[in-house]
Amino acid sequence: MVILIFIFGYLLIALENFFSVNKVIPSILMAVICWSLIIFLNIPVYELDQHLILKKDPKYLLLFHLGKASEIVFFLIGAMSIIAVIEKYSGFEAIKDLFYTNNTKRKFLWIISTVSFLLSAIIDNLTATMVLISILKKTIHNYKDRLYYLGLVIISANAGGVWSPIGDITTTMLWISNKVTTIFLIKKIFIPSVLCMIISTLIASYMPVFNGYIQIKKNDLSKYCKNRGFFILKLGLSLMLLVPVLKTIIGIPPYMGMMFSLGIILIIVSKKYRSTSILDDAFKKIDISSILFFLGILLSVSSLESIGSLYSLSHWINKTVSTWKITTFLFGLISSIIDNVPLVAATITMFSYPLNHDLWHFIAYVSGTGGSIFLIGSAAGVSAMSMEKIDFFWYLKKISWIALIGYISGFIYLLIYPFFSL
């Protein structure tokens, strides 16, 4: 019964546009119903402890999994709040000068892709995409031309998010769950993600739409606002980069590091600019729907883990598929169709490979870059679709094949990487 509820809820999430139901609703209901059935029907639940399967009280396990899910939730709240502060003080608006050019459209494409790639590694791929959409609206006034740029923004932002522990929610989940460490993640995933971005941009740069010249004016912000914006931007990004440093050196959990960074930026802003409402303003900008969606998904997946379904599924996959590398490649293709958050959440509980095993690095790469193949496969794509009314089939025809080539390019490097490290 629990499995059927999960499958039904998952289908509603994957086909939210078809059913016109916000994915938050089935996510939350699915979590509540699954755990209610476990408790009401007294279904046996288990916890994997030091490779031993121990029977546990369902209410205890629910509280335990709620604690694990809350680590990600509070990490996201802290990150979203810092980004809201940067946005309030025109931090992202100030970087518009980076796009000032009187050069070719092709050169501007490379600038856009590179900024998307680097920015998403710090502020996550979803936020980076939204920032670039806002900038492109003010720089590329031709709607049809702008769509092509946005297609490459989605690919580059998703590629940039996979090599950073704070660049993509799925990578953050792997990091918080102690599946990967910052140094090994960057070491293994940075080059394939760069290949994905570069090859995709290189192919796109030869499309006819990027022929010709473009002229973009400098920012019209006042000198004071521009200087303030740059200061807040540098401060916010530096504090977010401090989070993995604190985890590596001190060992504090990422959500505590993010909350520490949030506290620091709030103190500096409130004192320097005498703003007493900065905290309220920041919290108003938090995307509560995304927070609730992640909470619902994580608790739903944990219900399947607790009744042993994911444990059984992992054994079936290991027996059926010859190697986990094929499994991860297929997962990447699946993530282009359905949301990659529940996919990665299930993977974390399905497999018990040790910290920094290559499987986790493969999962980090495929779940992020694979989501670029279809417009609905990533949060970046969905946000771009809603903000700019991008047609699904237009993206499928014009951009998907480019994203697929980029995805495969990086994956091939992951396959041959061991030969380089000998």
Side-chain angles (χ1 to χ4, degrees), residues 303-421:
S303 69
L304 296 184
E305 177 190 0
S306 298
I307 63 177
S309 298
L310 295 182
Y311 183 77
S312 301
L313 180 60
S314 66
H315 275 275
W316 179 82
I317 291 175
N318 288 332
K319 290 181 180 179
T320 305
V321 182
S322 58
T323 171
W324 56 261
K325 294 178 180 178
I326 297 177
T327 301
T328 56
F329 182 80
L330 295 175
F331 277 3
L333 297 179
I334 293 172
S335 72
S336 68
I337 304 171
I338 60 177
D339 198 285
N340 54 9
V341 172
L343 189 70
V344 172
T347 304
I348 290 172
T349 55
M350 280 167 54
F351 300 106
S352 56
Y353 289 94
L355 175 70
N356 285 325
H357 189 278
D358 282 346
L359 174 132
W360 303 121
H361 297 123
F362 274 66
I363 289 295
Y365 174 80
V366 302
S367 63
T369 57
S372 303
I373 298 173
F374 290 139
L375 188 58
I376 60 172
S378 67
V382 172
S383 66
M385 181 171 63
S386 61
M387 291 177 69
E388 282 284 40
K389 310 300 179 186
I390 304 176
D391 182 71
F392 174 85
F393 293 102
W394 177 90
Y395 186 94
L396 180 65
K397 181 180 178 181
K398 303 292 185 179
I399 306 296
S400 290
W401 65 277
I402 300 175
L404 179 61
I405 294 174
Y407 168 74
I408 294 174
S409 301
F411 191 85
I412 290 174
Y413 178 86
L414 283 174
L415 291 176
I416 63 176
Y417 172 81
F419 298 102
F420 292 129
S421 59

Side-chain angles (χ1 to χ4, degrees), residues 3 28 37 58 68 83 86-87 108 132 151 155 157 182 200 217 234 244 309 320 364 368 380 388:
I3 297 175
I28 293 297
L37 286 172
K68 293 204 302 183
I83 291 165
I86 297 174
E87 186 177 8
F108 183 66
L132 267 296
I155 295 173
T182 302
S200 299
K217 297 179 180 180
K234 289 186 289 185
S309 298
T320 305
E388 282 284 40

Side-chain angles (χ1 to χ4, degrees), residues 34-261:
C34 285
W35 275 103
S36 296
L37 286 172
I38 291 174
I39 295 172
F40 180 72
L41 299 177
N42 199 26
I43 299 174
V45 291
Y46 306 90
E47 178 186 358
L48 190 64
D49 183 25
Q50 298 296 323
H51 305 291
L52 297 175
I53 299 177
L54 306 176
K55 187 173 181 180
K56 294 285 184 177
D57 176 66
K59 293 181 180 178
Y60 162 80
L61 262 190
L62 174 58
L63 189 61
F64 171 74
H65 287 296
L66 178 62
K68 293 204 302 183
S70 296
E71 287 188 301
I72 296 176
V73 167
F74 281 101
F75 178 91
L76 290 173
I77 290 174
M80 288 179 178
S81 300
I82 292 175
I83 291 165
V85 174
I86 297 174
E87 186 177 8
K88 176 178 173 60
Y89 287 94
S90 306
F92 297 122
E93 182 74 13
I95 65 173
K96 183 183 173 183
D97 280 354
L98 294 175
F99 303 96
Y100 167 72
T101 182
N102 287 310
N103 218 304
T104 62
K105 291 182 178 180
R106 187 170 290 115
K107 180 180 179 180
F108 183 66
L109 172 66
W110 280 100
I111 294 173
I112 283 289
S113 294
T114 303
V115 172
S116 301
F117 180 84
L118 296 175
L119 196 60
S120 67
I122 305 174
I123 64 172
D124 80 63
N125 52 0
L126 172 60
T127 308
T129 301
M130 295 172 69
V131 170
L132 267 296
I133 288 174
S134 175
I135 291 173
L136 284 172
K137 281 184 176 181
K138 299 174 183 178
T139 53
I140 306 297
H141 301 294
N142 186 300
Y143 176 70
K144 291 184 178 179
D145 288 353
R146 191 162 69 241
L147 290 183
Y148 284 93
Y149 284 106
L150 284 174
L152 271 298
V153 164
I154 293 169
I155 295 173
S156 301
N158 285 337
V162 299
W163 61 270
S164 165
I166 58 176
D168 187 292
I169 181 59
T170 54
T171 313
T172 301
M173 289 165 61
L174 291 168
W175 182 48
I176 290 178
S177 301
N178 288 318
K179 301 301 182 184
V180 297
T181 58
T182 302
I183 296 175
F184 273 87
L185 182 67
I186 296 173
K187 179 182 176 182
K188 295 290 183 69
I189 306 299
F190 180 72
I191 293 179
S193 64
V194 168
L195 282 175
C196 178
M197 183 274 287
I198 289 179
I199 291 177
S200 299
T201 307
L202 182 64
I203 294 171
S205 65
Y206 287 98
M207 299 175 77
V209 69
F210 296 115
N211 293 333
Y213 291 82
I214 186 173
Q215 183 176 8
I216 298 174
K217 297 179 180 180
K218 284 192 174 183
N219 207 310
D220 55 0
L221 284 176
S222 67
K223 185 177 180 180
Y224 170 77
C225 290
K226 191 182 296 185
N227 291 338
R228 185 185 65 180
F230 272 119
F231 170 75
I232 297 297
L233 178 65
K234 289 186 289 185
L235 176 65
L237 297 186
S238 299
L239 287 171
M240 293 183 76
L241 288 173
L242 181 65
V243 176
V245 175
L246 289 174
K247 183 179 187 297
T248 302
I249 297 177
I250 303 178
I252 63 173
Y255 70 93
M256 290 184 66
M258 190 61 76
M259 286 297 170
F260 173 78
S261 295

